[in-house]
Amino acid sequence: MRRLAVSLAGLATVAIAVSGFAPGPSAAAPQIDPPQFDPPRTDSAPSYYSLKLPAGLTVADLVRDGYDISHGHGSRPTLVATTVEADRLRDRGVILGKTGNVYQPVIRSATAGTTYYGGYHTAAGHEQHNAAVTAAHPDLVRLYDIGDSWKKTNGQGQGGHDIQALCITKLTTGDCALNSTGKKPKFVLHAQIHARELSTGELAYRWIDLLVSSYGKDAAITQLMDTRELWVVPMANPDGVDVVASVPSRPILQRKNLNNSAGGCPAADAGVDLNRNSNFQWDPQEGGPCDETYPGTKSVSEPETIAIQGLLDKLYRDTKGGVGEPAAANTTGVFLSLHSYGNDILAPYGYTNTAAPNKAALVALGKKMGGFNGYPVSTGDGGVGYFAPGATDDWLYGTRGVPSYTFEVGGGSGSCGGFFPAYSCMDSTFWPKNKGAFLYAAKAAATPYGTLP
Ligand SMILES: [Zn+2]
């Protein structure tokens, strides 16, 4: 999701801090134990609900009041709430229908430490994988440390991570040199900037494996690796992934990075939304320090944003003028930022309903990718019901002209819906649906505004 209000789920203390909640005896939240390994389910575990609002109350009102509500394309809004929060909404006249559980039954993985929640990879799991494929395929993979996470920068040596990027191609002289002048067009896949969007990092993991295992075996992928630089950032927010994975069978709903320097928030609500922190249309109105869409004290305030913008700035030349001017017809490259959920492809601009100057071409390419995963394409707040100023994809298109998209992976309900789909959904739906879209995007990177493949 690109716009979510304060995550209330899982931590009862949060509700008291959110505007719109009146603390008092009747609002006293039940005591929740601090996170621990495999805690028992409590009666305030979050669930998904459909909403029917009374006259005079809108979804936007509830989002401003701190509720975690999302829209899938063409579908009704979905609420993530604990039983306490659901009761408060019922008191306001909202009719709620429970549509599913946030948590799915988990089959414990045999590789504790590198996986959690049935098989999703931890930050350490991704880092081991990145190192392993780089070591195993020196002719195909270059691994880069593109910067530090907030905790590594500010944590006085207490944890944190390098942000890692892989360049995958059949390496020849001048390839993967972190510049915009190489001869191979560049496709960048960017995942888990919102840490709780579990399926996204896993899709990046599988994409890496598909590429390195297919060279010389699959003719189409071999050809792609001979002619493209395929960049992958599997975890744009690794500190957040550490929090999400800290309770292996019941992941934490951590969206933002771990920057708590603004103060005044419960620990669970602190952090900056890295997908609101770019310096294209950055908007301080997006939220305060405790909100899930807090854009930071200024644009590019976060080390993770510096790392990602720094990488993309090196990889892509600027072929575009101002906000209203189109990219040059010979622009190369495609960028995908993976998010969940909603089964959507979002094309620029996401900060406004004013059409991007290349809108027709951006939508045309989006529809081609949608032919593989079945997701419809929308722009502005169409389909999702919110704007996303300061997002990564708008920044790259808006400032460089590179076709850039958000994929919202998965639906809003069922065992494969929401933030925490069962791991089996990777095999049953997410990977088979999106693999073709990624391959297509890579192919299209040569002439994204020209004749599409
Ligand atoms: Zn997201």
Side-chain angles (χ1 to χ4, degrees):
M1 324 241 97
R2 296 209 297 183
R3 175 161 182 95
L4 283 167
V6 171
S7 168
L8 298 156
L11 281 160
T13 49
V14 176
I16 294 163
V18 168
S19 66
F21 290 109
S26 66
Q31 192 63 43
I32 304 293
D33 293 333
Q36 52 183 288
F37 193 83
D38 292 347
R41 171 167 293 214
T42 73
D43 65 358
S44 51
S47 299
Y48 295 107
Y49 295 90
S50 62
L51 297 159
K52 207 170 165 189
L53 303 179
L57 190 63
T58 66
V59 166
D61 294 334
L62 296 180
V63 168
R64 269 194 300 276
D65 288 349
Y67 288 96
D68 194 338
I69 299 176
S70 63
H71 304 241
H73 186 102
S75 63
R76 290 168 177 278
T78 299
L79 165 78
V80 178
T82 65
T83 52
V84 171
E85 292 148 11
D87 284 345
R88 287 205 183 96
L89 285 171
R90 290 190 182 100
D91 288 345
R92 294 172 73 178
V94 180
I95 296 169
L96 297 177
K98 187 173 163 181
T99 57
N101 297 318
V102 167
Y103 298 108
Q104 305 301 326
V106 171
I107 299 160
R108 192 179 296 275
S109 164
T111 47
T114 58
T115 67
Y116 66 106
Y117 198 55
Y120 290 99
H121 286 87
T122 60
H126 276 286
E127 287 160 358
Q128 284 183 24
H129 181 240
N130 293 345
V133 295
T134 306
H137 303 280
D139 55 329
L140 301 177
V141 185
R142 277 270 149 83
L143 177 62
Y144 284 97
D145 166 6
I146 60 170
D148 291 342
S149 68
W150 189 86
K151 221 171 161 194
K152 183 155 184 186
T153 310
N154 299 282
Q156 284 96 36
Q158 306 278 308
H161 295 268
D162 298 330
I163 314 287
Q164 297 189 332
L166 299 91
C167 179
I168 305 176
T169 192
K170 176 62 180 175
L171 283 159
T172 60
T173 307
D175 289 344
C176 295
L178 266 180
N179 62 37
S180 64
T181 54
K183 57 190 180 296
K184 296 176 176 174
K186 298 172 180 86
F187 167 58
V188 176
L189 186 71
H190 169 253
Q192 225 158 352
I193 185 172
H194 288 150
R196 65 187 181 178
E197 298 170 7
L198 300 192
S199 63
T200 68
E202 218 53 30
L203 284 172
Y205 190 108
R206 289 182 182 219
W207 173 240
I208 294 165
D209 281 349
L210 173 73
L211 295 175
V212 298
S213 66
S214 298
Y215 191 81
K217 298 183 183 114
D218 177 291
I221 295 175
T222 300
Q223 211 243 338
L224 210 52
M225 292 172 66
D226 283 337
T227 56
R228 303 285 185 277
E229 286 185 15
L230 305 160
W231 287 79
V232 190
V233 181
M235 285 182 301
N237 179 9
D239 288 354
V241 174
D242 281 344
V243 173
V244 170
S246 62
V247 186
S249 69
R250 304 262 320 263
I252 306 295
L253 283 158
Q254 176 76 30
R255 167 184 169 102
K256 302 185 286 182
N257 77 352
L258 299 193
N259 181 352
N260 60 0
S261 59
C265 293
D269 290 341
V272 172
D273 185 347
L274 300 173
N275 205 37
R276 295 294 184 282
N277 190 235
S278 88
N279 57 350
F280 180 75
Q281 304 295 329
W282 180 83
D283 183 356
Q285 305 291 331
E286 275 294 286
C290 311
D291 292 336
E292 290 288 15
T293 51
Y294 177 50
T297 52
K298 58 177 185 178
S299 65
V300 204
S301 56
E302 304 311 295
E304 292 90 350
T305 312
I306 293 167
I308 294 298
Q309 284 197 188
L311 172 70
L312 298 174
D313 189 46
K314 289 189 183 78
L315 296 184
Y316 293 116
R317 66 200 170 94
D318 178 2
T319 71
K320 189 171 175 303
V323 173
E325 294 174 68
N330 66 353
T331 300
T332 63
V334 172
F335 173 75
L336 298 185
S337 184
L338 300 182
H339 290 257
S340 68
Y341 51 93
N343 288 335
D344 286 299
I345 294 175
L346 310 179
Y349 285 125
Y351 80 94
T352 177
N353 280 332
T354 301
N358 297 95
K359 180 176 171 178
L362 290 165
V363 170
L365 172 51
K367 283 185 172 167
K368 289 278 197 174
M369 295 187 289
F372 292 92
N373 59 20
Y375 305 164
V377 182
S378 58
T379 61
D381 68 349
V384 289
Y386 54 81
F387 294 114
T392 320
D393 51 354
D394 260 14
W395 174 81
L396 183 58
Y397 169 72
T399 68
R400 299 293 182 282
V402 177
S404 301
Y405 299 85
T406 289
F407 280 14
E408 294 280 4
V409 176
S413 63
S415 62
C416 290
F419 296 119
F420 302 150
Y423 188 69
S424 60
C425 302
M426 293 305 307
D427 284 326
S428 68
T429 168
F430 300 142
W431 176 240
K433 267 176 176 274
N434 283 291
K435 171 183 155 183
F438 298 168
L439 288 166
Y440 186 86
K443 223 182 289 176
T447 55
Y449 295 130
T451 304
L452 292 175

